[in-house]
Protein backbone atom coordinates (compact mmCIF):
# COMPACT_ATOMS: atom_id res chain seq x y z
CA UNK A 1 0.00 0.00 0.00
CA UNK A 2 1.21 3.47 -0.75
CA UNK A 3 0.58 6.49 1.45
CA UNK A 4 -2.64 7.41 -0.27
CA UNK A 5 -4.01 3.93 0.16
CA UNK A 6 -3.00 3.93 3.84
CA UNK A 7 -4.62 7.28 4.32
CA UNK A 8 -7.87 6.16 2.77
CA UNK A 9 -7.76 2.99 4.77
CA UNK A 10 -7.40 5.10 7.89
CA UNK A 11 -10.20 7.38 6.79
CA UNK A 12 -12.51 4.40 6.31
CA UNK A 13 -11.53 2.86 9.62
CA UNK A 14 -11.87 6.19 11.39
CA UNK A 15 -15.37 6.64 10.03
CA UNK A 16 -16.21 3.07 11.00
CA UNK A 17 -14.89 3.71 14.52
CA UNK A 18 -12.22 1.05 14.07
CA UNK A 19 -9.15 3.27 14.32
CA UNK A 20 -7.60 2.94 17.78
CA UNK A 21 -4.53 3.84 19.80
CA UNK A 22 -1.54 5.47 18.19
CA UNK A 23 -3.03 5.20 14.71
CA UNK A 24 -6.03 7.21 15.87
CA UNK A 25 -3.84 9.86 17.53
CA UNK A 26 -1.73 10.18 14.42
CA UNK A 27 -4.79 10.39 12.19
CA UNK A 28 -6.41 13.06 14.37
CA UNK A 29 -3.25 15.18 14.09
CA UNK A 30 -3.37 14.89 10.32
CA UNK A 31 -7.06 15.65 10.32
CA UNK A 32 -6.52 18.80 12.37
CA UNK A 33 -3.79 20.12 10.13
CA UNK A 34 -4.85 19.06 6.66
CA UNK A 35 -8.12 20.47 5.22
CA UNK A 36 -7.93 18.08 2.29
CA UNK A 37 -7.93 15.08 4.62
CA UNK A 38 -10.87 16.63 6.46
CA UNK A 39 -12.68 17.01 3.19
CA UNK A 40 -11.90 13.41 2.20
CA UNK A 41 -13.00 12.15 5.58
CA UNK A 42 -16.27 14.00 5.31
CA UNK A 43 -16.85 12.71 1.80
CA UNK A 44 -16.08 9.16 2.88
CA UNK A 45 -18.57 9.45 5.72
CA UNK A 46 -21.20 10.79 3.38
CA UNK A 47 -20.54 8.02 0.88
CA UNK A 48 -20.91 5.40 3.56
CA UNK A 49 -24.20 6.90 4.67
CA UNK A 50 -25.28 7.06 1.03
CA UNK A 51 -24.49 3.39 0.43
CA UNK A 52 -26.06 2.27 3.68
CA UNK A 53 -29.47 3.62 2.80
CA UNK A 54 -30.49 0.87 0.41
CA UNK A 55 -34.13 1.94 0.47
CA UNK A 56 -33.23 5.35 -0.82
CA UNK A 57 -30.96 3.84 -3.49
CA UNK A 58 -33.85 1.70 -4.67
CA UNK A 59 -36.09 4.74 -4.70
CA UNK A 60 -33.52 6.66 -6.74
CA UNK A 61 -33.39 3.81 -9.21
CA UNK A 62 -37.16 3.91 -9.60
CA UNK A 63 -37.01 7.66 -10.15
CA UNK A 64 -34.41 7.21 -12.87
CA UNK A 65 -36.54 4.58 -14.57
CA UNK A 66 -39.57 6.85 -14.46
CA UNK A 67 -37.58 9.79 -15.79
CA UNK A 68 -36.09 7.72 -18.59
CA UNK A 69 -39.50 6.39 -19.47
CA UNK A 70 -40.83 9.92 -19.62
CA UNK A 71 -37.90 11.10 -21.75
CA UNK A 72 -37.85 8.09 -24.02
CA UNK A 73 -41.59 7.93 -24.02
CA UNK A 74 -41.76 11.34 -25.63
CA UNK A 75 -38.73 10.56 -27.76
CA UNK A 76 -40.00 7.24 -28.95
CA UNK A 77 -43.44 8.62 -29.64
CA UNK A 78 -41.97 11.36 -31.75
CA UNK A 79 -39.60 8.99 -33.51
CA UNK A 80 -42.33 6.47 -34.16
CA UNK A 81 -44.63 9.18 -35.42
CA UNK A 82 -41.95 10.53 -37.75
CA UNK A 83 -41.08 7.03 -38.97
CA UNK A 84 -44.74 6.19 -39.56
CA UNK A 85 -45.23 9.45 -41.42
CA UNK A 86 -42.24 8.76 -43.65
CA UNK A 87 -43.41 5.21 -44.33
CA UNK A 88 -46.91 6.47 -45.08
CA UNK A 89 -45.64 9.11 -47.47
CA UNK A 90 -43.38 6.58 -49.18
CA UNK A 91 -46.23 4.10 -49.52
CA UNK A 92 -48.58 6.75 -50.86
CA UNK A 93 -45.95 7.87 -53.34
CA UNK A 94 -45.31 4.32 -54.45
CA UNK A 95 -49.01 3.59 -54.77
CA UNK A 96 -49.80 6.75 -56.68
CA UNK A 97 -46.81 6.22 -58.94
CA UNK A 98 -48.03 2.78 -59.87
CA UNK A 99 -51.74 3.61 -59.81
CA UNK A 100 -52.63 6.71 -61.81
CA UNK A 101 -55.26 8.83 -60.17
CA UNK A 102 -57.96 7.98 -62.62
CA UNK A 103 -57.43 4.32 -61.77
CA UNK A 104 -57.76 4.69 -58.08
CA UNK A 105 -60.55 7.19 -57.91
CA UNK A 106 -63.83 5.49 -57.13
CA UNK A 107 -65.67 7.54 -59.75
CA UNK A 108 -63.72 5.67 -62.39
CA UNK A 109 -64.63 2.29 -61.09
CA UNK A 110 -68.15 2.37 -62.48
CA UNK A 111 -69.61 0.15 -65.05
CA UNK A 112 -67.89 -0.15 -68.36
CA UNK A 113 -70.15 0.15 -71.33
CA UNK A 114 -71.07 -3.29 -72.37
CA UNK A 115 -70.69 -2.81 -76.04
CA UNK A 116 -68.96 -0.14 -77.97
CA UNK A 117 -69.34 -0.34 -81.63
CA UNK A 118 -66.51 0.66 -83.83
CA UNK A 119 -67.14 1.72 -87.34
CA UNK A 120 -64.65 1.99 -90.07
CA UNK A 121 -63.71 5.44 -91.00
CA UNK A 122 -64.34 6.58 -94.50
CA UNK A 123 -61.92 9.39 -93.92
CA UNK A 124 -58.20 9.40 -94.61
CA UNK A 125 -57.07 9.33 -91.01
CA UNK A 126 -57.42 6.40 -88.74
CA UNK A 127 -60.57 7.60 -87.13
CA UNK A 128 -62.56 5.61 -84.69
CA UNK A 129 -66.28 5.91 -84.34
CA UNK A 130 -67.42 5.39 -80.82
CA UNK A 131 -70.95 5.02 -79.69
CA UNK A 132 -72.44 4.69 -76.30
CA UNK A 133 -73.90 1.36 -75.42
CA UNK A 134 -77.68 1.37 -75.93
CA UNK A 135 -79.83 2.06 -72.95
CA UNK A 136 -77.06 3.49 -70.85
CA UNK A 137 -77.24 5.54 -68.76
CA UNK A 138 -80.80 5.70 -67.56
CA UNK A 139 -81.43 9.35 -66.94
CA UNK A 140 -85.14 9.09 -67.41
CA UNK A 141 -88.06 8.01 -65.34
CA UNK A 142 -89.71 4.65 -65.60
CA UNK A 143 -92.35 6.11 -67.88
CA UNK A 144 -89.72 7.05 -70.40
CA UNK A 145 -90.23 10.78 -69.96
CA UNK A 146 -87.26 12.88 -68.89
CA UNK A 147 -87.48 13.53 -65.19
CA UNK A 148 -86.65 17.21 -64.43
CA UNK A 149 -85.22 16.20 -61.08
CA UNK A 150 -83.00 13.66 -62.69
CA UNK A 151 -82.04 16.10 -65.39
CA UNK A 152 -80.94 18.58 -62.78
CA UNK A 153 -78.96 15.85 -61.19
CA UNK A 154 -77.38 15.07 -64.55
CA UNK A 155 -75.83 18.52 -64.64
CA UNK A 156 -74.27 18.40 -61.21
CA UNK A 157 -70.53 18.66 -61.84
CA UNK A 158 -68.35 15.78 -60.89
CA UNK A 159 -66.18 17.71 -58.49
CA UNK A 160 -63.15 15.53 -58.86
CA UNK A 161 -63.17 15.69 -62.64
CA UNK A 162 -63.88 19.40 -62.81
CA UNK A 163 -60.40 20.11 -61.55
CA UNK A 164 -58.90 18.18 -64.42
CA UNK A 165 -60.88 19.71 -67.26
CA UNK A 166 -58.55 21.40 -69.74
CA UNK A 167 -55.48 19.71 -68.32
CA UNK A 168 -53.00 18.11 -70.69
CA UNK A 169 -50.36 16.21 -68.81
CA UNK A 170 -48.30 15.08 -71.79
CA UNK A 171 -48.00 18.51 -73.34
CA UNK A 172 -44.69 17.69 -74.96
CA UNK A 173 -46.11 14.79 -76.92
CA UNK A 174 -49.81 15.39 -77.16
CA UNK A 175 -51.64 18.43 -78.47
CA UNK A 176 -55.40 18.36 -78.77
CA UNK A 177 -56.43 20.34 -81.82
CA UNK A 178 -60.18 19.91 -81.39
CA UNK A 179 -62.59 20.12 -79.69
CA UNK A 180 -62.20 22.72 -76.94
CA UNK A 181 -61.81 21.37 -73.44
CA UNK A 182 -65.46 22.18 -72.75
CA UNK A 183 -68.01 21.82 -75.52
CA UNK A 184 -71.79 21.99 -75.57
CA UNK A 185 -73.57 19.81 -78.10
CA UNK A 186 -76.96 18.24 -78.56
CA UNK A 187 -77.75 14.66 -78.05
CA UNK A 188 -77.17 12.83 -81.31
CA UNK A 189 -74.43 15.16 -82.50
CA UNK A 190 -71.08 13.76 -83.34
CA UNK A 191 -67.99 15.13 -81.75
CA UNK A 192 -64.75 14.86 -83.61
CA UNK A 193 -61.50 14.66 -81.68
CA UNK A 194 -58.33 15.53 -83.51
CA UNK A 195 -54.89 15.68 -81.99
CA UNK A 196 -51.25 15.78 -82.84
CA UNK A 197 -48.84 13.48 -81.06
CA UNK A 198 -45.19 12.65 -81.39
CA UNK A 199 -43.96 9.31 -80.23
CA UNK A 200 -47.23 8.47 -78.56
CA UNK A 201 -48.01 4.87 -77.94
CA UNK A 202 -51.54 3.56 -78.20
CA UNK A 203 -54.07 5.75 -76.44
CA UNK A 204 -57.15 4.91 -74.45
CA UNK A 205 -60.23 7.02 -74.50
CA UNK A 206 -62.95 7.04 -71.87
CA UNK A 207 -66.07 9.04 -71.27
CA UNK A 208 -67.73 9.12 -67.87
CA UNK A 209 -70.99 10.68 -66.86
CA UNK A 210 -71.35 13.04 -63.95
CA UNK A 211 -71.66 10.13 -61.58
CA UNK A 212 -68.31 8.80 -62.65
CA UNK A 213 -69.81 5.85 -64.54
CA UNK A 214 -68.07 4.91 -67.71
CA UNK A 215 -70.16 5.57 -70.77
CA UNK A 216 -67.57 4.93 -73.44
CA UNK A 217 -64.29 3.10 -73.22
CA UNK A 218 -61.88 2.37 -76.00
CA UNK A 219 -58.30 1.14 -75.94
CA UNK A 220 -55.52 0.80 -78.48
CA UNK A 221 -56.17 3.98 -80.40
CA UNK A 222 -53.34 4.45 -82.88
CA UNK A 223 -54.55 7.29 -85.06
CA UNK A 224 -54.79 11.02 -84.50
CA UNK A 225 -58.55 11.41 -84.56
CA UNK A 226 -61.73 9.81 -83.45
CA UNK A 227 -65.40 10.58 -83.73
CA UNK A 228 -67.72 10.26 -80.83
CA UNK A 229 -71.34 9.51 -81.53
CA UNK A 230 -73.73 10.79 -78.92
CA UNK A 231 -76.95 9.39 -80.32
CA UNK A 232 -79.25 8.38 -77.45
CA UNK A 233 -77.09 10.13 -74.84
CA UNK A 234 -79.17 11.75 -72.18
CA UNK A 235 -78.79 15.40 -71.39
CA UNK A 236 -76.15 16.03 -68.81
CA UNK A 237 -72.51 16.46 -68.11
CA UNK A 238 -69.90 14.06 -69.43
CA UNK A 239 -66.18 14.03 -69.04
CA UNK A 240 -63.76 12.55 -71.51
CA UNK A 241 -60.15 11.64 -71.03
CA UNK A 242 -57.27 10.29 -73.02
CA UNK A 243 -54.79 7.95 -71.39
CA UNK A 244 -51.47 6.65 -72.52
CA UNK A 245 -50.36 3.45 -70.84
CA UNK A 246 -52.71 4.16 -67.96
CA UNK A 247 -51.35 7.66 -67.50
CA UNK A 248 -53.69 10.59 -67.85
CA UNK A 249 -53.00 12.62 -71.00
CA UNK A 250 -55.88 15.04 -71.47
CA UNK A 251 -59.29 15.73 -69.93
CA UNK A 252 -62.32 17.65 -71.18
CA UNK A 253 -66.00 18.14 -70.61
CA UNK A 254 -69.03 17.63 -72.84
CA UNK A 255 -72.35 19.21 -72.06
CA UNK A 256 -75.23 17.54 -73.81
CA UNK A 257 -78.08 19.96 -73.97
CA UNK A 258 -81.55 19.52 -75.34
CA UNK B 1 -52.55 4.40 -14.63
CA UNK B 2 -54.15 6.54 -11.93
CA UNK B 3 -55.57 8.91 -11.04
CA UNK B 4 -54.61 8.19 -7.44
CA UNK B 5 -55.93 9.83 -4.32
CA UNK B 6 -53.44 11.76 -2.19
CA UNK B 7 -53.47 9.00 0.42
CA UNK B 8 -52.73 6.37 -2.22
CA UNK B 9 -49.90 8.42 -3.63
CA UNK B 10 -48.32 8.86 -0.22
CA UNK B 11 -48.70 5.18 0.51
CA UNK B 12 -47.37 4.30 -2.95
CA UNK B 13 -44.33 6.50 -2.52
CA UNK B 14 -43.63 5.04 0.90
CA UNK B 15 -43.85 1.56 -0.59
CA UNK B 16 -41.90 2.59 -3.72
CA UNK B 17 -44.68 1.58 -6.05
CA UNK B 18 -43.57 2.03 -9.63
CA UNK B 19 -46.98 3.00 -11.01
CA UNK B 20 -47.37 5.76 -8.43
CA UNK B 21 -43.97 7.22 -9.30
CA UNK B 22 -44.79 7.08 -12.99
CA UNK B 23 -48.10 8.75 -12.23
CA UNK B 24 -46.26 11.50 -10.35
CA UNK B 25 -44.00 12.05 -13.35
CA UNK B 26 -46.95 12.22 -15.68
CA UNK B 27 -49.25 14.28 -13.53
CA UNK B 28 -47.03 16.46 -11.32
CA UNK B 29 -43.95 17.07 -13.42
CA UNK B 30 -45.56 19.59 -15.84
CA UNK B 31 -46.52 21.68 -12.80
CA UNK B 32 -42.95 21.78 -11.54
CA UNK B 33 -41.55 22.34 -15.02
CA UNK B 34 -43.77 25.40 -15.38
CA UNK B 35 -42.67 26.66 -11.97
CA UNK B 36 -38.97 26.30 -12.71
CA UNK B 37 -39.14 27.64 -16.24
CA UNK B 38 -41.10 30.63 -15.02
CA UNK B 39 -38.34 31.29 -12.53
CA UNK B 40 -35.30 31.33 -14.80
CA UNK B 41 -34.65 27.59 -14.69
CA UNK B 42 -34.22 25.02 -17.42
CA UNK B 43 -35.90 21.71 -18.09
CA UNK B 44 -32.85 19.96 -16.62
CA UNK B 45 -33.21 22.07 -13.46
CA UNK B 46 -36.86 21.08 -13.32
CA UNK B 47 -35.99 17.39 -13.60
CA UNK B 48 -33.42 17.69 -10.82
CA UNK B 49 -35.71 19.64 -8.53
CA UNK B 50 -38.58 17.28 -9.25
CA UNK B 51 -36.44 14.27 -8.32
CA UNK B 52 -35.15 16.00 -5.21
CA UNK B 53 -38.72 16.89 -4.31
CA UNK B 54 -39.79 13.27 -4.66
CA UNK B 55 -36.85 12.12 -2.55
CA UNK B 56 -37.76 14.70 0.09
CA UNK B 57 -41.36 13.46 0.00
CA UNK B 58 -40.21 9.85 0.21
CA UNK B 59 -37.97 10.56 3.20
CA UNK B 60 -40.77 12.48 4.88
CA UNK B 61 -43.23 9.62 4.31
CA UNK B 62 -40.76 6.97 5.31
CA UNK B 63 -39.50 8.54 8.49
CA UNK B 64 -42.83 9.47 10.00
CA UNK B 65 -46.48 9.59 9.12
CA UNK B 66 -47.32 12.42 6.81
CA UNK B 67 -50.51 14.21 7.74
CA UNK B 68 -51.48 16.83 5.22
CA UNK B 69 -53.67 19.80 5.88
CA UNK B 70 -53.71 20.71 2.20
CA UNK B 71 -53.76 18.89 -1.13
CA UNK B 72 -50.70 16.78 -1.87
CA UNK B 73 -50.24 18.71 -5.09
CA UNK B 74 -49.93 21.97 -3.15
CA UNK B 75 -47.63 20.37 -0.62
CA UNK B 76 -45.35 18.92 -3.27
CA UNK B 77 -45.41 22.17 -5.19
CA UNK B 78 -44.25 24.05 -2.11
CA UNK B 79 -41.46 21.50 -1.49
CA UNK B 80 -40.17 22.00 -5.01
CA UNK B 81 -40.61 25.74 -4.86
CA UNK B 82 -38.59 25.94 -1.65
CA UNK B 83 -35.90 23.71 -3.08
CA UNK B 84 -35.67 25.87 -6.16
CA UNK B 85 -35.53 29.09 -4.17
CA UNK B 86 -32.77 27.63 -2.00
CA UNK B 87 -30.86 26.62 -5.06
CA UNK B 88 -31.25 30.02 -6.66
CA UNK B 89 -30.06 31.61 -3.45
CA UNK B 90 -27.08 29.27 -3.29
CA UNK B 91 -26.16 29.99 -6.87
CA UNK B 92 -26.51 33.70 -6.29
CA UNK B 93 -24.38 33.47 -3.15
CA UNK B 94 -21.73 31.54 -5.03
CA UNK B 95 -21.62 34.15 -7.70
CA UNK B 96 -21.23 36.75 -5.00
CA UNK B 97 -18.49 34.76 -3.28
CA UNK B 98 -16.84 34.09 -6.60
CA UNK B 99 -16.50 37.86 -6.97
CA UNK B 100 -14.94 38.06 -3.55
CA UNK B 101 -12.54 35.34 -4.50
CA UNK B 102 -10.55 37.82 -6.52
CA UNK B 103 -9.27 39.39 -3.32
CA UNK B 104 -10.09 36.88 -0.65
CA UNK B 105 -8.69 33.48 0.11
CA UNK B 106 -10.54 30.26 -0.52
CA UNK B 107 -11.82 29.96 3.04
CA UNK B 108 -14.26 32.77 2.35
CA UNK B 109 -15.48 31.06 -0.76
CA UNK B 110 -16.28 27.67 0.68
CA UNK B 111 -19.00 28.11 3.24
CA UNK B 112 -18.89 26.30 6.54
CA UNK B 113 -22.53 26.68 7.41
CA UNK B 114 -24.77 23.70 7.83
CA UNK B 115 -26.07 22.10 4.71
CA UNK B 116 -29.55 23.05 3.68
CA UNK B 117 -32.01 20.37 2.71
CA UNK B 118 -31.55 21.40 -0.89
CA UNK B 119 -27.79 20.91 -0.64
CA UNK B 120 -28.17 17.49 0.96
CA UNK B 121 -30.56 16.38 -1.74
CA UNK B 122 -28.35 17.78 -4.49
CA UNK B 123 -25.35 15.97 -3.02
CA UNK B 124 -27.29 12.75 -2.80
CA UNK B 125 -28.29 13.14 -6.43
CA UNK B 126 -24.65 13.65 -7.48
CA UNK B 127 -23.59 10.60 -5.46
CA UNK B 128 -26.33 8.53 -7.01
CA UNK B 129 -25.52 9.63 -10.53
CA UNK B 130 -21.90 8.55 -10.24
CA UNK B 131 -22.62 5.45 -8.24
CA UNK B 132 -25.10 4.35 -10.88
CA UNK B 133 -22.52 4.88 -13.61
CA UNK B 134 -19.94 2.65 -11.93
CA UNK B 135 -19.22 -0.78 -13.43
CA UNK B 136 -21.61 -3.41 -12.18
CA UNK B 137 -19.03 -5.27 -10.11
CA UNK B 138 -17.95 -1.99 -8.50
CA UNK B 139 -21.46 -1.24 -7.33
CA UNK B 140 -21.83 -4.74 -5.99
CA UNK B 141 -18.51 -4.80 -4.18
CA UNK B 142 -19.20 -1.44 -2.53
CA UNK B 143 -22.67 -2.46 -1.40
CA UNK B 144 -21.34 -5.76 -0.03
CA UNK B 145 -18.57 -3.92 1.77
CA UNK B 146 -21.11 -1.60 3.37
CA UNK B 147 -23.15 -4.61 4.43
CA UNK B 148 -19.99 -6.01 6.05
CA UNK B 149 -19.96 -9.07 3.84
CA UNK B 150 -16.59 -10.81 4.39
CA UNK B 151 -14.14 -10.19 1.55
CA UNK B 152 -13.77 -13.93 0.97
CA UNK B 153 -17.49 -14.18 0.34
CA UNK B 154 -17.37 -11.09 -1.87
CA UNK B 155 -14.63 -12.74 -3.93
CA UNK B 156 -16.67 -15.92 -4.25
CA UNK B 157 -19.88 -14.18 -5.21
CA UNK B 158 -18.29 -11.86 -7.74
CA UNK B 159 -15.86 -14.41 -9.15
CA UNK B 160 -12.69 -12.65 -7.97
CA UNK B 161 -9.51 -14.68 -7.63
CA UNK B 162 -9.20 -14.18 -3.87
CA UNK B 163 -10.15 -11.91 -0.99
CA UNK B 164 -7.08 -9.72 -1.50
CA UNK B 165 -8.27 -8.86 -4.97
CA UNK B 166 -11.72 -8.11 -3.52
CA UNK B 167 -10.09 -5.67 -1.09
CA UNK B 168 -8.12 -4.01 -3.87
CA UNK B 169 -11.23 -3.86 -6.01
CA UNK B 170 -13.19 -2.25 -3.21
CA UNK B 171 -10.46 0.35 -2.76
CA UNK B 172 -10.24 1.11 -6.48
CA UNK B 173 -14.00 1.32 -6.88
CA UNK B 174 -14.36 3.68 -3.96
CA UNK B 175 -11.53 5.78 -5.30
CA UNK B 176 -13.15 5.88 -8.71
CA UNK B 177 -16.46 6.94 -7.22
CA UNK B 178 -14.81 9.58 -5.02
CA UNK B 179 -12.87 11.03 -7.94
CA UNK B 180 -15.87 11.18 -10.19
CA UNK B 181 -17.91 12.91 -7.53
CA UNK B 182 -15.17 15.45 -6.87
CA UNK B 183 -14.87 16.20 -10.57
CA UNK B 184 -18.61 16.74 -10.95
CA UNK B 185 -19.28 20.41 -11.66
CA UNK B 186 -22.25 20.31 -9.29
CA UNK B 187 -20.26 18.89 -6.41
CA UNK B 188 -17.98 21.77 -5.33
CA UNK B 189 -20.99 24.03 -4.97
CA UNK B 190 -22.38 21.96 -2.21
CA UNK B 191 -19.13 20.92 -0.58
CA UNK B 192 -18.82 21.58 3.08
CA UNK B 193 -16.14 20.90 5.61
CA UNK B 194 -16.51 20.02 9.20
Amino acid sequence: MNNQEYLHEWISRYNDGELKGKELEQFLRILASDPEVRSETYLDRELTAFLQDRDLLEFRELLDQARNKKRWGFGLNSLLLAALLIILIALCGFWIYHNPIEKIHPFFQGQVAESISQESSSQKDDALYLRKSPGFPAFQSAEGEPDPTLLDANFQPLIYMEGWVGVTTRAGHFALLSPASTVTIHSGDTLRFHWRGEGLSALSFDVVNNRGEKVVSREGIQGTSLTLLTASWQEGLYYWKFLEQDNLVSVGKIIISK
Amino acid sequence: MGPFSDAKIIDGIRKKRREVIHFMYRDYFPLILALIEKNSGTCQDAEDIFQDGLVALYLRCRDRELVLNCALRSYFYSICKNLWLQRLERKHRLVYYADLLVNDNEENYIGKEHLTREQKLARHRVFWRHFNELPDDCRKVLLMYIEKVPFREVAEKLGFTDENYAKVRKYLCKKLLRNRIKKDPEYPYCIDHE
Side-chain angles (χ1 to χ4, degrees):
Chain A
M1 273 197 194
N2 60 31
N3 285 345
Q4 275 293 315
E5 287 176 38
Y6 268 119
L7 185 62
H8 280 112
E9 182 66 26
W10 276 12
I11 288 172
S12 292
R13 287 171 58 201
Y14 170 74
N15 281 334
D16 291 346
E18 292 171 359
L19 209 58
K20 310 277 182 199
K22 285 185 180 178
E23 282 183 331
L24 178 61
E25 284 173 21
Q26 199 179 341
F27 180 75
L28 287 174
R29 276 198 298 276
I30 296 170
L31 198 63
S33 61
D34 191 336
E36 197 178 329
V37 174
R38 279 206 302 278
S39 175
E40 286 288 332
T41 305
Y42 189 67
L43 176 58
D44 188 85
R45 191 181 299 169
E46 273 194 306
L47 272 178
T48 302
F50 165 80
L51 292 169
Q52 277 172 337
D53 196 343
R54 291 294 288 272
D55 278 344
L56 193 49
L57 295 185
E58 284 170 13
F59 189 73
R60 280 274 185 204
E61 187 150 19
L62 281 175
L63 291 185
D64 274 2
Q65 286 170 5
R67 180 168 66 177
N68 291 339
K69 190 184 174 190
K70 178 180 75 70
R71 281 180 179 168
W72 283 101
F74 292 140
L76 273 182
N77 283 345
S78 308
L79 283 175
L80 278 177
L81 203 64
L84 280 176
L85 204 62
I86 289 168
I87 290 169
L88 197 65
I89 290 169
L91 284 176
C92 283
F94 183 80
W95 194 46
I96 287 169
Y97 181 79
H98 289 282
N99 296 277
I101 289 167
E102 62 273 18
K103 248 183 159 182
I104 60 177
H105 196 277
F107 283 126
F108 289 91
Q109 293 170 358
Q111 282 178 270
V112 177
E114 284 175 1
S115 67
I116 298 169
S117 64
Q118 181 181 334
E119 297 170 17
S120 301
S121 170
S122 57
Q123 297 170 0
K124 289 177 192 172
D125 59 7
D126 185 20
L128 293 168
Y129 289 81
L130 304 178
R131 189 172 60 201
K132 179 188 89 52
S133 60
F136 181 89
F139 285 164
Q140 56 195 34
S141 64
E143 291 77 29
E145 292 300 315
D147 185 330
T149 317
L150 287 176
L151 280 179
D152 280 349
N154 291 349
F155 286 95
Q156 292 296 316
L158 181 56
I159 301 298
Y160 173 73
M161 284 303 293
E162 281 292 322
W164 287 94
V165 171
V167 169
T168 300
T169 60
R170 297 288 189 277
H173 304 289
F174 181 91
L176 186 69
L177 303 175
S178 69
S181 58
T182 301
V183 289
T184 303
I185 56 173
H186 297 288
S187 179
D189 289 351
T190 56
L191 188 60
R192 185 171 172 76
F193 287 82
H194 187 63
W195 63 91
R196 190 175 60 236
E198 290 172 12
L200 280 173
S201 52
L203 294 173
S204 302
F205 179 78
D206 292 336
V207 178
V208 295
N209 62 21
N210 71 333
R211 296 198 299 271
E213 296 163 338
K214 273 189 184 176
V215 178
V216 167
S217 182
R218 181 70 191 171
E219 293 180 349
I221 301 167
Q222 297 285 353
T224 57
S225 69
L226 67 82
T227 302
L228 188 65
L229 305 175
T230 63
S232 78
W233 283 29
Q234 295 297 317
E235 295 161 37
L237 278 182
Y238 297 83
Y239 299 88
W240 55 260
K241 59 178 179 169
F242 280 101
L243 298 105
E244 183 191 19
Q245 293 176 346
D246 290 335
N247 293 315
L248 197 64
V249 172
S250 187
V251 179
K253 182 162 74 173
I254 304 166
I255 301 165
I256 304 285
S257 67
K258 217 170 186 179
Chain B
M1 189 199 302
F4 296 96
S5 67
D6 287 358
K8 281 199 170 176
I9 292 174
I10 291 168
D11 188 54
I13 285 177
R14 186 187 294 119
K15 290 175 180 167
K16 299 191 290 254
R17 282 178 57 198
R18 191 182 305 268
E19 64 272 23
V20 170
I21 291 167
H22 285 207
F23 171 77
M24 290 288 283
Y25 259 96
R26 199 191 63 189
D27 209 51
Y28 282 49
F29 180 71
L31 190 72
I32 305 307
L33 178 65
L35 164 74
I36 303 296
E37 286 188 334
K38 215 184 286 178
N39 290 281
S40 63
T42 63
C43 183
Q44 181 61 51
D45 291 328
E47 284 190 345
D48 290 346
I49 289 291
F50 185 75
Q51 278 215 348
D52 290 353
L54 281 174
V55 170
L57 185 62
Y58 170 70
L59 291 174
R60 180 69 184 75
C61 297
R62 186 184 70 171
D63 296 343
R64 57 190 190 279
E65 194 183 349
L66 177 61
V67 181
L68 292 177
N69 53 10
C70 62
L72 178 64
R73 187 179 288 270
S74 309
Y75 179 74
F76 185 71
Y77 184 86
S78 68
I79 288 178
C80 292
K81 188 178 175 184
N82 286 336
L83 289 176
W84 180 238
L85 290 177
Q86 284 175 11
R87 178 167 308 177
L88 282 179
E89 191 193 336
R90 179 160 60 90
K91 281 184 176 176
H92 172 74
R93 198 172 58 215
L94 285 166
V95 170
Y96 170 72
Y97 282 136
D99 288 342
L100 284 181
L101 193 61
V102 178
N103 296 316
D104 293 356
N105 61 32
E106 198 173 342
E107 290 297 313
N108 290 339
Y109 177 58
I110 299 170
K112 289 191 174 186
E113 67 273 36
H114 290 297
L115 295 179
T116 63
R117 181 168 65 162
E118 185 271 326
Q119 281 175 306
K120 285 178 185 168
L121 291 167
R123 266 162 117 91
H124 195 273
R125 184 163 28 78
V126 170
F127 286 6
W128 165 254
R129 182 162 62 226
H130 293 293
F131 174 72
N132 205 30
E133 285 171 0
L134 286 178
D136 194 41
D137 70 317
C138 266
R139 274 180 285 147
K140 283 179 182 164
V141 81
L142 286 177
L143 289 174
M144 285 179 174
Y145 168 72
I146 290 295
E147 287 170 0
K148 309 272 184 204
V149 177
F151 278 112
R152 192 188 304 162
E153 201 178 319
V154 172
E156 280 172 15
K157 282 188 174 169
L158 298 181
F160 297 153
T161 47
D162 54 29
E163 62 179 283
N164 285 332
Y165 181 75
K167 280 181 192 172
V168 172
R169 193 72 187 139
K170 183 241 30 169
Y171 170 76
L172 292 175
C173 289
K174 206 169 184 182
K175 188 179 170 186
L176 180 66
L177 178 58
R178 226 172 21 234
N179 289 342
R180 285 183 178 180
I181 289 170
K182 284 194 287 187
K183 279 181 189 166
D184 191 302
E186 264 198 84
Y187 179 70
Y189 300 114
C190 53
I191 196 167
D192 194 29
H193 299 291
E194 282 187 313

